[in-house]
């Protein structure tokens, strides 16, 4: 029966068992996707958090080619429809199920896997496709951190139940990726059934939009709590469903040995530091060490400074003059582009913030949140003001 299902013209009727397994895996996997890397030999040094792009550009002397912001599951995504051509950074979206650090979720990973937010995902894909932007999607980052509503374990190691189990997270991730990569609903439904989850639960017509998206899988490099069941690998959805591997890294816990071990553990994918920052102390040596580490690990193609959501907060680069000077010096290297390729023509010339008006920012989503380390960050931001 399996052989009939996957038989193609020119394929022998009798195949070895290993070949049948491979064909089954390929049939279940999503269509090939693009990671949307920076040009060869280059990396993106972007910005994460609530600071305006113009403010960050003044601090570091270079435009951030990627701007990562935060939104909550099941909120309106119409703000993403506009191409907003004046906004000359690639957008990255961290999509959480809650309003921020330590807050309850509006939906669980198990409910996402069951299709209860398919309408949200279909609309998100349609709006992203309409914008024609390249967008990086960071789904439920730091999933092995107890402070997140979608985390499987409490701080004391207690299991929170099947609704947030690692297996539920994996199923939710795979469903989200399949829907957002788009294509025919018939093929999508077949793939979902093979994964053991319901077919699409939202009216979408015969085809889903195909936005230009890449998916960033970003756990902590060690779980909180640090138990075997909460290790990053427990949440691995499979290489076919992941475009980038990464983690978050702060000066408050600069364990480069563990970072290197994590980097090697998940080889074969471009690597992103989706959040990195000085935190609580001016530490230029950390900045230099981090960039030296990135230079020695060639798969590092994106590292986004987490600026925080409050002026003067513990990650605010404006607090750290020596660290800021160190970062300026690192970003002078030709490896770090000020603009992604699609914006280089518009961004030609010195990277100086214009006098007026402030460079265009992306429209504001209804809710933006950011679970910075040890910090509750929840703010409705009017970007561009």
């Amino acid at each position: 029966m399996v052989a009939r299902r996957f038989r193609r013209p020119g394929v022998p009727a009798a195949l070895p068992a290993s070949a049948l397994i491979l064909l089954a895996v390929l049939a279940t996997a999503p269509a090939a996707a693009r990671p949307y890397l920076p040009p060869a030999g280059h990396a993106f040094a972007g910005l994460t958090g609530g600071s305006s792009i113009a403010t960050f550009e003044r601090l570091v002397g270079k435009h951030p080619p990627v701007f990562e912001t935060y939104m909550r599951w099941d909120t309106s995504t119409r703000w993403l429809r506009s191409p907003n051509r004046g906004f000359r950074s690639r957008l990255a979206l961290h999509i959480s199920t809650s309003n921020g650090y330590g807050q309850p979720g509006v939906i669980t990973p198990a409910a996402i896997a069951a299709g209860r937010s398919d309408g949200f995902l279909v609309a998100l894909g349609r709006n992203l496709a309409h914008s024609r932007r390249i967008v990086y999607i960071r789904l439920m980052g730091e999933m092995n951190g107890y402070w997140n509503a979608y985390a499987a374990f409490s701080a004391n190691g207690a299991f929170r139940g099947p609704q947030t189990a690692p297996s539920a997270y994996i199923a939710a991730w795979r469903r989200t990726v399949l829907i957002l990569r788009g294509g025919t609903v018939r093929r999508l439904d077949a793939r979902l059934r093979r994964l053991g989850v319901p077919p699409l639960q939202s009216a979408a017509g015969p085809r889903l939009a195909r936005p230009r998206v890449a998916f960033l899988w970003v756990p902590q490099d060690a779980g909180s709590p640090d138990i075997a069941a909460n290790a990053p690998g427990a949440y691995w959805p499979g290489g076919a469903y992941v475009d980038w591997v990464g983690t978050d890294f702060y000066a408050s816990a600069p364990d480069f040995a563990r970072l290197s071990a994590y980097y090697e553990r998940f080889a074969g994918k471009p690597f992103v530091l989706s959040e990195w920052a000085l935190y609580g102390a001016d530490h230029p040596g950390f900045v230099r060490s981090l960039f030296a580490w990135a230079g020695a690990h060639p798969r590092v193609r994106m590292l986004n400074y987490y600026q925080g959501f409050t002026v003067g907060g513990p990650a605010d680069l404006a607090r750290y003059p020596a660290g800021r000077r160190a970062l300026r010096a690192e970003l002078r290297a030709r490896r770090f582009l000020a603009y992604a390729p699609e914006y280089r023509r518009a961004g030609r010339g010195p990277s100086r913030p214009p006098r007026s008006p402030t460079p265009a920012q992306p429209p504001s989503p209804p809710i933006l949140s950011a679970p910075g380390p040890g910090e509750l960050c929840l703010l409705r931001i009017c970007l561009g003001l």
Side-chain angles (χ1 to χ4, degrees):
M1 183 174 180
V2 174
R4 285 199 302 272
R5 179 183 301 172
F6 296 114
R7 190 173 179 185
R8 297 287 184 270
V11 177
L15 290 173
S18 59
L20 291 176
I21 293 171
L22 176 61
L23 285 173
V25 170
L26 292 175
T28 305
R34 294 179 57 187
Y36 295 107
L37 296 170
H42 295 280
F44 291 149
L47 169 65
T48 295
S51 174
S52 77
I53 288 174
T55 298
F56 187 75
E57 189 173 350
R58 282 193 294 269
L59 290 172
V60 303
K62 183 169 279 188
H63 181 87
V66 176
F67 180 81
E68 181 177 337
T69 190
Y70 297 76
M71 66 174 293
R72 196 189 73 193
W73 216 278
D74 279 348
T75 53
S76 172
T77 60
R78 284 193 61 83
W79 64 281
L80 291 164
R81 285 181 64 83
S82 170
N84 198 356
R85 302 185 191 283
F87 173 62
R88 293 178 289 142
S89 296
R90 287 185 180 176
L91 187 64
L93 288 176
H94 178 274
I95 308 179
S96 175
T97 65
S98 71
N99 286 342
Y101 186 95
Q103 299 296 300
V106 296
I107 192 169
T108 66
I112 295 168
R116 294 179 191 168
S117 67
D118 282 2
F120 165 75
L121 293 173
V122 169
L124 174 62
R126 182 171 58 246
N127 289 330
L128 290 177
H130 189 273
S131 75
R132 299 184 180 178
R133 286 184 165 280
I134 293 172
V135 179
Y136 302 104
I137 304 289
R138 179 184 169 204
L139 294 173
M140 297 180 283
E142 297 184 358
M143 74 295 292
N144 55 345
Y146 66 85
W147 48 85
N148 287 310
Y150 42 82
F153 298 93
S154 299
N156 63 3
F159 181 53
R160 289 177 173 166
Q163 292 296 308
T164 57
S167 58
Y169 177 91
I170 290 170
W173 176 286
R174 289 175 172 176
R175 185 182 196 93
T176 300
V177 169
L178 286 172
I179 291 174
L180 289 181
R181 283 186 179 162
T184 67
V185 171
R186 181 179 179 181
R187 180 172 292 183
L188 168 67
D189 285 347
R191 287 173 172 157
L192 292 173
R193 289 190 184 98
R194 291 189 191 106
L195 291 174
V197 294
L200 188 68
Q201 302 293 294
S202 173
R207 298 186 65 87
L208 297 181
R210 286 187 177 272
R212 298 198 291 171
V213 292
F215 293 89
L216 316 182
W217 183 74
V218 185
Q220 292 195 122
D221 55 12
S224 297
D226 191 2
I227 58 177
N230 200 36
Y235 299 85
W236 177 244
Y241 299 87
V242 173
D243 300 314
W244 294 65
V245 166
T247 191
D248 299 334
F249 198 69
Y250 284 82
S252 54
D255 191 336
F256 283 95
R258 189 170 68 188
L259 179 63
S260 295
Y262 174 81
Y263 174 93
E264 296 298 338
R265 169 69 178 82
F266 294 97
K269 297 286 183 182
F271 196 87
V272 55
L273 290 175
S274 196
E275 299 174 17
W276 77 271
L278 298 166
Y279 206 82
D282 197 353
H283 194 345
F286 170 77
V287 176
R288 289 189 287 268
S289 295
L290 181 66
F291 276 78
W293 183 89
H297 294 78
R299 288 179 18 244
V300 178
R301 306 299 300 278
M302 190 191 310
L303 53 169
N304 299 335
Y305 189 87
Y306 176 79
Q307 179 71 341
F309 280 72
T310 54
V311 175
D316 186 350
L317 192 58
R319 295 181 54 184
Y320 309 119
R324 188 167 67 247
R325 287 192 296 271
L327 181 53
R328 271 181 167 261
E330 296 292 343
L331 293 183
R332 291 192 189 107
R334 295 176 62 88
R335 182 184 181 212
F336 299 106
L337 298 175
Y339 295 90
E342 64 270 29
Y343 299 115
R344 289 186 69 178
R345 182 177 298 275
R348 185 177 295 164
S351 180
R352 292 194 301 263
R355 299 174 188 170
S356 179
T358 299
Q361 305 288 321
S364 175
I367 296 175
L368 296 178
S369 60
E375 176 184 22
L376 172 59
C377 297
L378 173 61
L379 184 63
R380 186 185 184 95
I381 299 173
C382 296
L383 296 171
L385 296 181

